[in-house]
Amino acid sequence: MTSSGTVLWPPEAPVWSFQWQIVDGDSEGIVFKNVSYKGTSVLFKASLPMIRVQYDGPAGPYKDSLSSSNMQGTVNVYEGTNPAFRFLVVESNHSIGNYRLTNRWIFRSDGAILPQLYSAGLQAPYNHRHHVYWRLDWDILTPSWNLVLENLPVGTDWGYGPGWMPYTIESVVARSPRSTYAVINKRLGTQAGYRVFPGPFDGIADGFASLDTAVFAWHADEDLRGRLGTRLDDQILTQATGESIDGQDLVMWWCAHLDHHASDPASEWHVCGPILQPFGFP
């Protein structure tokens, strides 16, 4: 089964344009393609291909995928407002064992994107963590010439402002506390792009899920959708080959590490996910 749609939003004066679909098979939740804000390319593709669940007791670990086969109902597309901005939501609800999961993507009228995973339910009576892996194929302005910067607490200026360190080769990163990143097009410099902030419940890496962020050169055959990773190994390092990513077509992995305590009510919802915030857009 394939479900899909095209979005031009808001309809009276669109600032967002993209296609979405959810497909059985190599599952990666809702897939967004050709995402543009105010007519400027932002993402070629964005999805959530992998969730790994790590228990502190004799259960699991598990690897879960979001698919139409475990989706409850259909993909929901709706809009809302608050005093500062309007927003569009594209979301799906899933049931995997005793887990209830909501895969929610929020597109705000100010250009922010919030990929979020909500989870509730308890599969076994032990504290555990949901390690949630988003894959973001950035195309800021163009597919090529993209560059990722990490904001470090130092005064060094690598040419992009104090503390903003460029990634020039493929990198896998874990920090405590987590870092903020920026994705820019080198032809524009730091005039425009997106900052990527950790969400308040995104947690930090551990021995089971050892990365917060990874940045790789794009290759079509490395887009494995839900086939990448196992319950014991996310296999992200298999795609790190030391290639140059200095002004290239880039893929960023973002992993959130969402704590869930067994003492929490089974009906209590937990949420994680990064905050993608534009800068320099007209």
Side-chain angles (χ1 to χ4, degrees):
M1 179 182 76
T2 302
S3 181
S4 60
T6 298
V7 168
L8 291 171
W9 182 85
E12 69 277 10
V15 296
W16 284 111
S17 170
F18 56 82
Q19 296 86 44
W20 64 266
Q21 65 178 174
I22 186 164
V23 185
D24 268 341
D26 300 329
S27 303
E28 51 186 333
I30 306 170
V31 176
F32 298 88
K33 289 190 174 181
N34 302 312
V35 179
S36 294
Y37 177 63
K38 291 187 175 180
T40 299
S41 173
V42 174
L43 290 156
F44 173 69
K45 180 182 176 183
S47 62
L48 198 171
M50 179 166 37
I51 304 168
R52 298 170 64 235
V53 188
Q54 168 197 14
Y55 275 86
D56 290 343
Y62 304 108
K63 180 195 172 190
D64 297 327
S65 296
L66 303 179
S67 70
S68 58
S69 62
N70 54 45
M71 187 166 68
Q72 307 301 301
T74 60
V75 173
N76 302 308
V77 182
Y78 59 93
E79 69 171 272
T81 61
N82 71 20
F85 45 76
R86 296 169 67 179
F87 58 88
L88 182 76
V89 178
V90 183
E91 70 177 21
S92 56
N93 297 292
H94 301 260
S95 179
I96 302 175
N98 290 330
Y99 300 131
R100 288 172 293 138
L101 303 163
T102 295
N103 181 25
R104 177 175 294 163
W105 294 71
I106 301 172
F107 297 85
R108 297 191 337 198
S109 57
D110 64 355
I113 307 172
L114 284 74
Q116 298 179 333
L117 183 77
Y118 289 77
S119 69
L122 192 63
Q123 189 71 20
Y126 309 106
N127 296 344
H128 62 280
R129 282 152 299 286
H130 292 262
H131 301 279
V132 186
Y133 296 77
W134 285 271
R135 183 180 182 275
L136 305 171
D137 181 350
W138 292 99
D139 278 4
I140 301 292
L141 189 63
T142 61
S144 57
W145 291 101
N146 280 206
L147 179 68
V148 169
L149 313 171
E150 181 183 5
N151 190 221
L152 299 175
V154 298
T156 307
D157 191 335
W158 287 272
Y160 300 94
W164 286 102
M165 181 185 73
Y167 279 96
T168 58
I169 61 170
E170 293 184 323
S171 300
V172 179
V173 187
R175 307 282 190 209
S176 179
R178 296 182 72 130
S179 294
T180 295
Y181 298 83
V183 188
I184 64 172
N185 187 295
K186 287 190 72 174
R187 287 178 170 172
L188 292 178
T190 56
Q191 294 177 50
Y194 264 76
R195 292 189 181 94
V196 183
F197 298 93
F201 305 107
D202 280 4
I204 58 174
D206 58 22
F208 181 80
S210 59
L211 68 95
D212 294 330
T213 308
V215 188
F216 300 140
W218 177 88
H219 294 287
D221 61 358
E222 290 182 349
D223 184 3
L224 298 177
R225 302 176 289 281
R227 288 176 286 132
L228 184 69
T230 70
R231 67 189 191 93
L232 297 175
D233 184 359
D234 58 33
Q235 299 179 336
I236 298 291
L237 285 174
T238 63
Q239 298 190 343
T241 59
E243 289 183 71
S244 170
I245 52 172
D246 187 359
Q248 303 294 326
D249 191 352
L250 301 179
V251 170
M252 172 185 281
W253 285 91
W254 185 273
C255 184
H257 314 278
L258 180 63
D259 282 324
H260 188 173
H261 295 280
S263 60
D264 295 338
S267 59
E268 183 174 322
W269 287 91
H270 304 75
V271 61
C272 62
I275 301 163
L276 316 181
Q277 182 72 56
F279 62 92
F281 284 76

